[in-house]
Amino acid sequence: FRSAITTATVEDLRQIADGFMAYYGEFQVDESTKTITSRVAAATIPAWTDSEQKRAYELTGDTLALITPATKLTWMRLPN
């Protein structure tokens, strides 16, 4: 059995990664300004490492949206 990642072409992998980004770290919520500030420990965009990323947010019921001028990312909580 060979996984798709080992049989993918360079172009396949490029298409998978195009537009993908991730980061992690601690965050702080400011309810008065409806913002979340992430203190980035590491990221797929190296320049973001050790930076702060501020996002507006909307929290409605089980749905959280993080908003930038360019995009709106939405998550929904799944039932247990």
Side-chain angles (χ1 to χ4, degrees):
F1 174 75
R2 293 182 58 168
S3 77
I5 199 76
T6 61
T7 60
T9 67
V10 171
E11 184 57 30
D12 292 336
L13 297 173
R14 184 173 285 118
Q15 288 180 7
I16 291 167
D18 186 34
F20 174 82
M21 65 87 53
Y23 61 93
Y24 72 91
E26 296 180 359
F27 65 93
Q28 182 174 10
V29 177
D30 185 335
E31 291 184 41
S32 67
T33 61
K34 297 283 190 196
T35 58
I36 295 177
T37 302
S38 299
R39 290 179 195 85
V40 180
T44 55
I45 301 171
W48 282 24
T49 299
D50 297 323
S51 72
E52 287 191 351
Q53 299 295 318
K54 191 177 220 178
R55 306 284 184 257
Y57 76 88
E58 296 172 352
L59 181 59
T60 308
D62 288 341
T63 302
L64 170 66
L66 297 182
I67 304 157
T68 71
T71 191
K72 181 177 183 177
L73 301 173
T74 305
W75 291 268
M76 179 179 281
R77 179 181 290 175
L78 296 175
N80 291 336

